[in-house]
Amino acid sequence: MARKKITIIGAGNVGAEVARQVLAQNLGNVVLVDIAEGLAQGKALDMNQSGPILGYQGRVVGTQNYEETIDSDIIVVTSGSPRKPGMSRDDLFKTNFAIIQAVVGHAASASPQAIIIVVTNPLDVMTYTALKTANCPKERVFGMAGILDSARYRYFLSEALQVSQHVIEAMVLGGHGDEMVPCVSLTRVAGAPITELMSLEQLEKIAQRTRTGGGEIVKLLKTGSAYYAPAAAAVRMVAAVLNDEKALLPCATLLQGEYGFADIVLGVPVIIGCQGVERVVEIQLEAQDKEALTKSAGVTQPLCRQVDEWLN
Ligand code: APR
């Protein structure tokens, strides 16, 4: 069987780490694309030279255009502009909207059957932009946020409780921002409800640290933002598609009535398999989680309408 082809757009910190993890997990060959001259080519060469030591089977090609990406199975979009000093969230939104529109336009026409995983922020509305630009069935374009946010939450919980992170089950739903929803009702430790092991007060502190988890890392790094965990989360989604796992994961997907929301992209539990988002799973949420999800959707809604306006 031929190796799968995974295109990664953006060879910055996140894109390069996605490439490295795809190779390490032997998921296929990688095409790394970046607009910056030599960046993707240089990182590809460096990674390929680690192959004889680490025993990768796949290869990486670095490029500035889309020829090499033709007929990719999966496209991971990480290209974007970082938020520069003095830049508002709105400025970043506009800049990255233009970048997503351009790169997805090229990549989707080179690989009309590909599944597209969006990582660029602001995540939910960039996923919406990618879906509208690719103009393909909604199951084929979705975004990475929930797996990362849930991993941060699970890590903080495991530290606080001093138990293995493997026994902590949790889902962070909603938008990938300050209004994300670490669902209390879906948080369990080896099957036991979290509220039996921790006070609500302590739990809320951990939920809040999760909501600002990305910012905490930005502050420490001073330049740049998190990339090891974001890349791991994106590669988790790549593996779920390529292995047709039917994995239940929180991902950003277009809702059309599910959870009571329509025409917005929001993080909800979905089944990921070879078709992409094969199904949205509607879990009965407790009132407080449902209320928080509605608040989160309220933040994303006007951004999606703004994209509709820009695209018309
Ligand atoms: N085409 C291709 N590559 C592009 C384009 C474009 N039109 N515009 C920008 N890029 C590239 C940049 O040249 C840069 O190498 O995208 C890369 C982004 O890399 P970084 O600045 O290192 O950002 P990174 O930390 O990788 O984050 C990427 O993921 O988690 C999110 O918020 C994060 O939106 C950001 C994205």
Side-chain angles (χ1 to χ4, degrees):
M1 204 165 59
R3 279 191 206 136
K4 296 293 182 184
K5 185 166 172 179
I6 299 122
T7 281
I8 301 163
I9 307 175
N13 282 337
V14 176
E17 180 61 15
V18 169
R20 207 193 56 75
Q21 292 187 26
V22 162
L23 288 177
Q25 293 179 34
N26 284 323
L27 292 171
N29 287 333
V30 172
V31 181
L32 195 53
V33 185
D34 202 286
I35 200 168
E37 198 186 330
L39 183 71
Q41 293 88 331
K43 290 197 180 182
L45 190 55
D46 191 9
M47 267 182 236
N48 283 330
Q49 290 169 358
S50 70
I53 305 165
L54 298 171
Y56 299 155
Q57 286 160 13
R59 290 281 185 274
V60 201
V61 175
T63 175
Q64 274 170 275
N65 58 57
Y66 289 83
E67 233 170 86
E68 295 277 2
T69 73
I70 288 173
D71 288 337
S72 295
D73 296 284
I74 299 195
I75 297 162
V76 182
V77 182
T78 77
S79 51
S81 175
R83 194 159 153 195
K84 298 180 186 119
M87 202 178 188
S88 71
R89 265 177 205 253
D90 275 355
D91 293 338
L92 181 73
F93 174 26
K94 240 183 241 166
T95 307
N96 282 353
F97 165 80
I99 292 174
I100 296 301
Q101 215 194 354
V103 305
V104 171
H106 290 302
S109 48
S111 305
Q113 299 307 318
I115 281 173
I116 302 176
I117 298 173
V118 180
V119 180
T120 304
N121 277 316
L123 190 273
D124 305 275
V125 75
M126 289 303 118
T127 305
Y128 184 80
T129 304
L131 176 62
K132 294 288 161 181
T133 305
N135 196 21
C136 66
K138 70 165 206 136
E139 58 269 23
R140 283 212 253 122
V141 183
F142 48 105
M144 185 294 292
I147 300 174
L148 169 65
D149 297 328
S150 304
R152 286 179 172 154
Y153 185 48
R154 288 168 60 203
Y155 166 71
F156 294 145
L157 287 169
S158 81
E159 284 290 288
L161 293 169
Q162 284 295 297
V163 298
S164 157
Q165 44 207 356
H166 297 298
V167 299
I168 300 181
E169 232 183 81
M171 279 219 202
V172 178
L173 306 181
H176 183 52
D178 299 344
E179 306 294 338
M180 69 177 72
V181 187
C183 289
V184 177
S185 45
L186 302 181
T187 308
R188 295 181 162 264
V189 181
I194 187 69
T195 45
E196 288 183 15
L197 294 155
M198 192 180 266
S199 70
L200 278 176
E201 210 179 11
Q202 199 184 358
L203 190 58
E204 177 46 35
K205 264 195 200 140
I206 290 173
Q208 190 47 32
R209 191 171 176 201
T210 304
R211 290 186 197 103
T212 55
E216 183 179 350
I217 292 173
V218 168
K219 256 192 216 145
L220 288 166
L221 294 178
K222 313 234 172 22
T223 56
S225 47
Y227 56 98
Y228 294 114
V235 176
R236 177 73 195 86
M237 291 160 79
V238 171
V241 171
L242 293 181
N243 299 326
D244 192 20
E245 283 184 39
K246 316 291 184 202
L248 177 61
L249 297 165
C251 298
T253 187
L254 182 77
L255 297 180
Q256 290 177 320
E258 300 93 341
Y259 288 92
F261 309 112
D263 298 322
I264 62 165
V265 164
L266 203 66
V268 293
V270 295
I271 299 293
I272 303 283
C274 63
Q275 309 292 325
V277 172
E278 299 191 351
R279 177 154 55 100
V280 173
V281 180
E282 289 199 74
I283 297 174
Q284 196 66 40
L285 298 176
E286 279 178 13
Q288 74 196 66
D289 291 335
K290 181 78 219 270
E291 200 180 299
L293 195 64
T294 304
K295 206 168 156 198
S296 184
V299 174
T300 310
Q301 173 95 17
L303 302 180
C304 292
R305 298 298 73 81
Q306 174 68 74
V307 166
D308 289 340
E309 219 170 90
W310 284 337
L311 289 173
N312 280 326

